[in-house]
Amino acid sequence: MQDDNLEIGLNIVTKMEAEDAKKRQDTDITYGIDDNPPWYLCVFMALQHYLTMIGAIVSIPFILTPAICMKDDDPARSHIICTMIFVTGIVTWVQATFGCRLPIVQGGTISFLVPTLAILNLPQWRCPEPAVLDAMTSDNRTELWQTRMRELSGAIAVSAVLQAVIGLFGIVGVILRYVTPLTIVPTVSLVGLSLFENAADSASQHWGIAAGTILMLTAFSQLLREVHVPLLAYKRDVGFSIVWFQLFKLFPVLLTIIIMWGVCALLTLSGNLPVGHPARTDVKLRIIEDSPWFRFPYPGQWGVPTVTAAGVLGMLAGVLACTVESISYYPTTARMCGAPPPPVHAINRGIAIEGIGTILAGLWGSGNGTNTFGENVGAIGVTKIGSRRVIQYAAVLMIIQGLISKFGAAFIIIPQPVVGGMFCIMFGMITAFGLSALQYVDLNSSRNLYIVGFSIFFSLVLSKWMEANPHAIQTGSEVVDSIITVLLSTSILIGGITGCLCDNIIPGTPEERGLIAWQDQMKLEPNKENGDASDTYDYPIGMSVIRRLNIFSYLPFMPTYKQEKWMLCGAKRNL
């Protein structure tokens, strides 16, 4: 019976591979994954990817820095964002060159903010009252936020070891046995839902400007996305010519920031905003003045990271959420690039590099981890440029920009209501991305509706209650109290565990649970019949040595890895 099921599974894989081959033939891609465009085109296309990701990454410090008790005009805010960009460049280059070798950008993620805020809500890490903060000296205030940054750095770095282990030891197949659409829905959607208060706090600084930001971002990204704008271009054989460019579709966030920033500047110059108002453009100018032109972000720049059990266990929620999210992006990116489906060894390697990248981000003191940027995956589908060489150029550009402190400072001084308006859209999109996994399940099933509703609602209720009652857990041990408090305060962890347990315990057919449609979307099976798959995901150097040594065939992250049948069946366990 088991052999018959395996044969059926292999037949399904063969059919999927044939369908994928046809899809790749029909893909209208300008530059494929292995293509190398001219260097001057690579520079401009790399800049496009850089501008696509910067809109998402600059939003993180606006939530992180107030939570660690940092002053609004502290120049170190720009140092944090430059550190994020610098680490993003390093990890992106390693991922595209030696990791999964897909043209994806790795960078800071909102998923880590939920457990971060849960940790900082513990009594020992909560910020003092405003009067106490104002009375502190500059040195004491610096030590106050750096102590919290060291705690976060240690928690992020240590928790990410699990992600690296998952990739290095090939545990992806085991995870996919239990991670279903009804696990992903609460885990990812709660990332956005849990941060609604942060969006409300920023937007309420000036609802008029926030509403203008929302309306403009909606118009650019939804109403004008197909509008082509004429731009002047130059080609050696043609000279100057007019090209029509989908400006609003590619850069809606940046255009919105620039325009609304200009509106705030006009309101500031005209005196319509009182002195010190968060919407004024001159409130944080001192950040740019005090920031040096160049600064190298080095590991441990805020001090030696500290490690506590509560911090590490709480941050694991962000690590697991990022792992599941990235796995879902890999096959999508491959299809957009017209590349073969990523084999198991490439998936393992990608998750391992992402874990190592998060460890580096923690040690470097970025206050965040790394994850695949969905914005850049979408950019590939829009531009039809899927070359990994372009991403490598973009990574170098990020490293250079991460060294320029004044560049990071320019983003930190964005008026707060503009940031609040962006949060309303961005956090909503993250929530929608999580809810989109419902397309695979049967929504007419009362079983599925029960799991979705209970896992989301209960996790919000419990986390908010824990936030309001941080001293509710009294076991007699301060360490145990902190661990339980953080775990119960992390909504994405509670929602993910609840959804996973309910979906794997409550009886349901594969079609009802969405397992068949989900597996068709993921397609993480090895592709042995397609000859170019091996070349696409091989290392750029050293393959002759790797193929000669038989020992490498037993390592799950090597291109010569013997992909056992259990890896294939693991993702199809419930089919």
Side-chain angles (χ1 to χ4, degrees), residues 261-284:
W261 204 342
V263 170
C264 291
L266 292 176
L267 293 175
T268 301
L269 293 174
S270 62
N272 287 291
L273 296 174
V275 177
H277 193 281
R280 289 181 66 95
T281 54
D282 57 358
V283 174
K284 305 174 187 176

Side-chain angles (χ1 to χ4, degrees), residues 16 73 147 151 196 271 302 488:
M16 290 178 178
D73 58 352
T147 301
E151 172 70 13
F196 79 93
W302 316 124
L488 296 182

Side-chain angles (χ1 to χ4, degrees), residues 258-317:
I258 293 172
I259 294 174
M260 292 307 300
W261 204 342
V263 170
C264 291
L266 292 176
L267 293 175
T268 301
L269 293 174
S270 62
N272 287 291
L273 296 174
V275 177
H277 193 281
R280 289 181 66 95
T281 54
D282 57 358
V283 174
K284 305 174 187 176
L285 286 179
R286 194 172 70 86
I287 295 180
I288 294 182
E289 297 172 358
D290 294 345
S291 296
W293 274 104
F294 297 97
R295 178 182 181 274
F296 179 76
Y298 55 90
Q301 57 185 322
W302 316 124
V304 179
T306 58
V307 179
T308 61
V312 172
L313 292 176
M315 205 63 73
L316 281 175

Side-chain angles (χ1 to χ4, degrees), residues 456-526:
I456 292 178
F457 191 81
F458 173 71
S459 58
L460 287 174
V461 170
L462 183 59
S463 61
K464 289 301 177 185
W465 184 82
M466 290 301 305
E467 182 179 341
N469 300 274
H471 299 284
I473 306 299
Q474 299 289 338
T475 64
S477 171
E478 185 176 347
V479 175
V480 176
D481 292 348
S482 298
I483 293 174
I484 297 176
T485 300
V486 170
L487 295 180
L488 296 182
S489 302
T490 308
S491 58
I492 60 176
L493 179 65
I494 300 301
I497 291 177
T498 304
C500 183
L501 288 177
C502 290
D503 191 36
N504 285 279
I505 292 175
I506 300 176
T509 64
E511 292 83 359
E512 183 183 16
R513 299 173 61 191
L515 299 181
I516 295 178
W518 174 243
Q519 180 57 37
D520 182 62
Q521 169 69 20
M522 293 298 292
K523 296 178 183 175
L524 296 182
E525 69 278 354

Side-chain angles (χ1 to χ4, degrees), residues 68 136-150 302:
I68 60 175
M136 286 185 173
T137 63
S138 177
D139 291 341
N140 289 340
R141 186 69 178 268
T142 299
E143 178 61 22
L144 183 71
W145 71 259
Q146 288 189 357
T147 301
R148 286 154 176 75
M149 183 63 84
R150 291 194 290 268
W302 316 124

Side-chain angles (χ1 to χ4, degrees), residues 229-270:
V229 178
L231 294 177
L232 187 64
Y234 176 80
K235 293 183 179 180
R236 182 179 300 178
D237 54 341
V238 178
F240 288 99
S241 61
I242 299 295
V243 297
W244 293 88
F245 185 68
Q246 290 181 305
L247 183 67
F248 302 114
K249 190 173 186 177
L250 292 177
F251 308 119
V253 174
L254 285 173
L255 286 174
T256 301
I257 291 176
I258 293 172
I259 294 174
M260 292 307 300
W261 204 342
V263 170
C264 291
L266 292 176
L267 293 175
T268 301
L269 293 174
S270 62

Side-chain angles (χ1 to χ4, degrees), residues 66-115:
I68 60 175
C69 318
M70 183 183 289
K71 286 184 178 179
D72 291 341
D73 58 352
D74 194 326
R77 282 193 170 203
S78 66
H79 300 164
I80 292 176
I81 191 172
C82 285
T83 300
M84 288 183 179
I85 298 173
F86 183 78
V87 176
T88 293
I90 293 176
V91 180
T92 297
W93 188 88
V94 174
Q95 184 72 280
T97 307
F98 296 101
C100 66
R101 289 184 55 76
L102 288 167
I104 57 176
V105 175
Q106 303 278 162
T109 171
I110 301 294
S111 297
F112 276 95
L113 284 178
V114 179

Side-chain angles (χ1 to χ4, degrees), residues 28 30 80 110 121 190 262 398 506:
D28 181 19
T30 304
I80 292 176
I110 301 294
N121 193 55
L190 283 167
M398 294 172 198
I506 300 176

